[in-house]
């Protein structure tokens, strides 16, 4: 047991101590061999260690890691907390651990383009897209594991690989995957603790690791808008929110070994992530070199110590942002919370009229079925499109305890038709409609909401199908949303479709609060057959419109009396993760380096 509380309450006493140079780890190989030999230490060591959540999180930094290797002789290793079991799959129907094993193979092939050999997986589960780091931490450290289990594994890996530089993801909360945030948080904490002999002391006393304190901590800064061209790497820049320094590496430089620009090398690597749709990227980078931006990194620490910056507290924080502020204070980097909560625009609102007769769910708007206002969906994400290319509006009605939603979509090209039998899931890969409902308007993440994705057409001339994804109960609507019915009409020749759905309010996770019910309606437009999206529209088009209940609009239900209150069911998270012991590549790597599988104890 570690002599401190769970990591959300890390005490000041655990600030990492003096830099330990030349330290190395000692433990036992899977076959019982001793790894104190110089060969084993060299195989485990890496000059730079990247910490990400999913396979492909490193891809926008591969040009940087390749240049560091070729120009400075710096080796890079990768830590990937999950194998991306909860992501989409543009290559086939696999999901869960089967998808995770495919994504491991893709990642190892991709990073090999820039000379990275070692990828360490922590065997944690990846579930649906969430914006919540706390929810992610709960999934990654579920009982009977300790609430510091993932952190302990990462500290062990830093002690085993002895990097001087740690690179991670931006830990800030707005508009990015909760797994990315949590990976960044874990890296910040492990950077501080790996050099402290009182942190996870059994790793030192029993496993014979030595404390190791890295010198530099960088965070990817994908959203930083800096200069382009070769001069970007020499430009002194600061993050506009935190005031921390930002450094850039220009991918327009030409690789000596590859004979092409690093941007092109990175593109070649990116196209290896086929399941994530990156195989559809153009094979050639056509952007002129003087217009290529740097790969940007915010400097969080130098010489083992945090870079300090002024703190600008925000008031009126919503729970997700208040939790991040508290974490930033606990790790003694309160400036990371500067401007963390964006200025949310006013959310839309509409009144859902009650109708005397229930609409017929047939994919058309019959006379008098939807007497309320028409909700216009606007561009939210992806490529902006013309009205003929993709546009949509929605209408709503209520009859008794049932909510009716009709969405009309104009679309010029049909996306891929998925197989309703085994692929009615992850609807954002093709043309689809999503309806999100927060019954009481109080959710901080979607685990307590209802989210359904509806495909207007399916393979083999099939009709619509519906599923639930990223909410309290996922799976086919037939089993997860009793009483829900859907229908669609698709034009022939194709120029769009209409989806209609009946959603029983009694089937929502909790009884509706008629004054505070919130919802969003979204449309995904693909235009391709490769199971990748192109454009996204939403009624409330801000931030991560599908995953952030804070942005959803209000649905007023005049005259509606909900049923009696009932306890909310526990959210169901798909937590079946692919394991390193089942991966020949991971087993070979562990035997070669002596680093235990999954970052666990030897």
């Amino acid at each position: 047991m570690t002599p401190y509380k769970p990591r959300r309450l890390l005490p000041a006493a655990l600030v990492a101590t003096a830099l330990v140079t030349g330290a190395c780890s000692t433990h036992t190989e899977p076959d019982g061999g001793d790894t104190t030999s110089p060969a084993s230490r060299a195989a485990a060591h890496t000059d730079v260690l990247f910490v990400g959540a999913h396979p492909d999180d490193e891809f926008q930094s591969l040009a940087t890691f390749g240049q560091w290797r070729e120009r400075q002789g710096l080796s890079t290793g990768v830590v990937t907390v999950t194998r991306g079991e909860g992501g989409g799959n543009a290559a086939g129907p696999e999901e869960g651990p089967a998808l995770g094993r495919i994504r491991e193979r893709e990642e190892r092939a991709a990073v090999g383009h820039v000379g990275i050999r070692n990828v360490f997986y922590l065997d944690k589960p990846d579930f649906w897209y969430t914006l919540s780091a706390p929810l992610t931490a709960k999934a990654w450290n579920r009982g009977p594991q300790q609430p510091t289990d993932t952190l302990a594994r990462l500290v062990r890996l830093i002690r085993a690989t002895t990097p001087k530089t740690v690179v991670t993801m931006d830990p800030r909360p707005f508009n990015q995957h909760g797994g990315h945030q949590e990976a960044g948080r874990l890296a910040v904490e492990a950077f501080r603790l790996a050099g402290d002999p009182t942190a996870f002391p059994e790793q030192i006393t029993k496993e014979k690791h030595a404390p190791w304190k890295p010198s530099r901590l960088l965070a990817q800064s994908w959203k930083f808008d800096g200069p382009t061209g070769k001069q970007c790497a020499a430009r002194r820049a600061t993050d506009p929110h935190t005031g921390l320094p930002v450094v850039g590496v220009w991918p327009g430089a030409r690789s000596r070994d590859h004979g092409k620009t690093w941007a092109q090398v990175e593109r070649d690597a990116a196209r290896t992530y086929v399941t994530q749709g990156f195989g559809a990227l153009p094979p050639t980078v056509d952007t002129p070199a003087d217009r290529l931006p740097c790969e940007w990194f915010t400097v969080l620490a130098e010489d083992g110590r945090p870079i300090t910056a002024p703190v600008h507290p925000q008031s009126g924080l919503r729970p997700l942002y208040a939790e991040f502020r508290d974490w930033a204070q606990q790790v003694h980097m309160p400036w990371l919370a500067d401007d963390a909560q964006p200025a949310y625009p006013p959310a839309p609102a509409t009144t859902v009229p009650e109708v005397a007769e229930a609409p017929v769910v047939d994919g058309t708007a019959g006379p008098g079925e939807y007497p309320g206002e028409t909700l216009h969906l606007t561009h939210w994400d992806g490529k902006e499109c013309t009205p003929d290319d993709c546009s949509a509006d929605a209408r709503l009605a209520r009859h008794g305890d049932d909510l009716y939603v009709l969405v009309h979509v104009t679309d010029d090209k049909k996306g891929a038709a998925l197989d309703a039998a085994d692929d009615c899931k992850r609807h954002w890969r093709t043309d689809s409609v999503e309806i999100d409902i927060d019954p009481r308007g109080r959710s901080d993440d979607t685990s307590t909401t209802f989210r359904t994705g509806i495909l207007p057409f399916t393979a083999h001339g099939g009709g619509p199908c519906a599923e639930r994804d990223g909410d309290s109960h996922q799976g086919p609507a037939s089993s997860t949303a009793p009483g829900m019915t859907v229908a669609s009409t698709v034009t022939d020749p194709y120029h769009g479709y209409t989806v209609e759905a009946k959603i029983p309010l009694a089937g929502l996770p909790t009884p509706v609060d008629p004054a505070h019910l919130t919802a969003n309606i979204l449309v995904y437009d693909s235009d391709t057959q490769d199971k990748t999206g192109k454009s996204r529209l939403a009624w409330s088009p801000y931030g991560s419109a599908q995953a952030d209940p804070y942005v959803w609009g209000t649905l007023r239900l005049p005259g509606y009396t909900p049923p009696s209150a009932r306890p909310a069911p526990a959210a169901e998270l798909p937590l079946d993760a692919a394991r390193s012991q089942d991966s020949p590549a991971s087993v070979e790597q562990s035997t070669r380096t002596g680093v235990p599988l999954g970052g666990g104890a030897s």
Side-chain angles (χ1 to χ4, degrees):
M1 294 291 293
T2 56
Y4 54 87
K5 300 176 183 178
R7 69 182 193 82
R8 293 299 180 219
L9 299 172
L10 289 173
L14 283 187
V15 178
T17 53
L19 175 64
V20 180
T21 58
C24 65
S25 63
T26 306
H27 49 248
T28 304
E29 290 189 1
D31 64 0
D34 187 0
T35 63
T36 57
S37 69
S40 295
R41 291 198 300 270
H45 169 74
T46 186
D47 299 305
V48 179
L49 189 67
F50 174 81
V51 180
H54 316 98
D56 75 36
D57 284 344
E58 71 285 320
F59 96 91
Q60 293 189 74
S61 301
L62 290 180
T64 295
F65 299 148
Q67 288 191 66
W68 287 350
R69 176 179 179 270
E70 189 173 281
R71 294 182 176 184
Q72 303 175 46
L74 299 178
S75 60
T76 296
V78 172
V79 175
T80 303
V81 181
T82 79
R83 284 178 171 81
E85 297 90 347
N89 186 353
E94 296 88 354
E95 59 184 337
L99 174 59
R101 289 188 286 273
I102 296 172
R103 294 192 67 180
E104 175 182 351
R105 293 195 293 270
E106 290 177 346
E107 182 175 33
R108 289 187 182 277
V111 301
H113 281 258
V114 297
I116 295 175
R117 187 177 185 188
N118 292 335
V119 184
F120 305 94
Y121 296 91
L122 301 191
D123 291 1
K124 297 298 180 175
D126 179 43
F127 53 104
W128 31 263
Y129 180 69
T130 179
L131 295 184
S132 174
L135 184 66
T136 303
K138 181 179 178 180
W140 287 358
N141 302 285
R142 66 192 188 279
Q145 296 172 337
Q146 294 294 317
T148 53
D149 183 75
T150 312
L151 177 61
R153 292 173 187 242
L154 185 54
V155 168
R156 180 181 289 112
L157 275 171
I158 290 177
R159 289 169 171 171
T161 58
T162 59
K164 183 176 181 180
T165 298
V166 174
V167 182
T168 190
M169 311 194 79
D170 190 338
R172 292 178 291 186
F174 177 65
N175 198 21
Q176 68 159 330
H177 201 303
H180 297 173
Q181 301 170 42
E182 185 65 9
R185 294 193 190 193
L186 288 165
V188 168
E189 296 176 17
F191 180 89
R192 299 173 59 240
L193 297 179
D196 187 340
T198 69
F200 304 107
E202 69 280 1
Q203 295 181 7
I204 298 169
T205 59
K206 295 181 180 180
E207 301 173 32
K208 306 306 178 184
H209 291 287
W212 180 268
K213 185 175 181 182
S215 177
R216 198 178 204 204
L217 178 62
L218 305 177
Q220 291 171 321
S221 191
W222 293 345
K223 299 175 184 178
F224 182 74
D225 187 17
T228 61
K230 186 175 182 179
Q231 72 278 6
C232 66
R235 184 73 61 89
R236 295 187 60 181
T238 57
D239 180 85
H241 302 289
T242 64
L244 293 173
V246 178
V247 296
V249 177
W250 184 53
R254 187 165 291 273
S255 165
R256 179 185 64 249
D257 295 337
H258 293 275
K260 58 182 77 172
T261 67
W262 282 107
Q264 184 60 55
V265 175
E266 186 172 270
R267 175 64 57 82
D268 296 343
R271 284 169 50 83
T272 306
Y273 303 104
V274 177
T275 61
Q276 302 312 292
F278 295 171
L281 290 170
T284 303
V285 175
D286 294 328
T287 305
D290 61 355
R291 291 174 53 193
L292 283 171
C294 272
E295 294 183 344
W296 299 103
F297 303 89
T298 301
V299 184
L300 302 184
E302 287 278 20
D303 299 323
R305 294 183 295 274
I307 302 292
T308 61
V311 178
H312 304 292
Q314 285 182 291
S315 60
L317 292 178
R318 302 184 186 199
L320 199 64
Y321 299 99
E323 189 274 342
F324 178 73
R325 174 204 59 202
D326 295 344
W327 172 83
Q329 292 174 346
Q330 290 161 10
V331 298
H332 308 293
M333 296 183 179
W335 43 85
L336 291 181
D338 289 355
D339 296 338
Q341 178 170 293
Y344 280 96
T350 191
T351 297
V352 180
E354 182 178 10
V355 293
E357 294 186 14
V360 178
V361 181
D362 58 2
T364 62
E369 287 186 334
Y370 294 93
E373 70 171 314
T374 298
L375 310 180
H376 297 286
L377 279 58
T378 57
H379 176 261
W380 151 48
D381 192 27
K383 182 180 178 180
E384 292 201 45
C385 48
T386 64
D388 290 337
D389 181 3
C390 64
S391 57
D393 56 59
R395 299 162 72 181
L396 299 95
R398 178 181 66 83
H399 178 73
D401 286 328
D402 296 323
L403 178 69
Y404 292 82
V405 184
L406 184 136
V407 182
H408 175 70
V409 178
T410 298
D411 181 20
D412 66 343
K413 293 181 182 179
K414 225 176 182 182
L418 305 181
D419 193 327
D422 65 359
D423 206 16
C424 185
K425 56 196 175 188
R426 290 157 171 75
H427 55 277
W428 58 86
R429 296 173 293 157
T430 190
D431 299 330
S432 60
V433 168
E434 178 178 323
I435 303 168
D436 304 332
I437 303 174
D438 182 3
R440 307 192 70 78
R442 302 175 186 172
S443 295
D444 298 315
D445 61 69
T446 62
S447 67
T448 53
T449 71
F450 175 97
R451 297 180 61 208
T452 181
I454 303 170
L455 304 178
F457 50 83
T458 53
H460 315 299
C465 71
E467 45 86 54
R468 290 178 63 180
D469 184 276
D471 66 358
S472 63
H473 189 33
Q474 307 93 51
S478 58
S479 59
T480 62
M484 178 180 171
T485 58
V486 300
S488 68
T489 56
V490 181
T491 62
D492 186 16
Y494 184 79
H495 55 78
Y497 58 87
T498 300
V499 160
E500 189 172 17
K502 181 187 80 171
I503 300 173
L505 295 175
L508 300 181
T510 57
V512 166
D513 180 345
H516 299 97
L517 168 72
T518 60
N520 211 352
I521 301 170
L522 310 103
V523 165
Y524 298 81
D525 181 51
S526 173
D527 285 356
T528 74
Q529 297 301 305
D530 56 18
K531 300 180 184 178
T532 59
K534 184 199 70 172
S535 304
R536 299 179 178 186
L537 311 176
W539 178 43
S540 184
Y542 184 69
S544 290
Q546 86 283 37
D548 187 355
Y550 294 158
V551 310
W552 296 355
T554 299
L555 301 186
R556 295 183 290 262
L557 303 179
Y560 178 64
T561 301
S564 301
R566 64 182 185 276
E572 298 181 11
L573 301 180
L575 300 178
D576 192 10
R579 301 176 301 176
S580 292
Q581 68 187 58
D582 299 323
S583 163
S586 289
V587 171
E588 181 280 326
Q589 178 181 292
S590 180
T591 302
R592 173 171 46 82
T593 65
V595 178
L597 292 168
S602 57

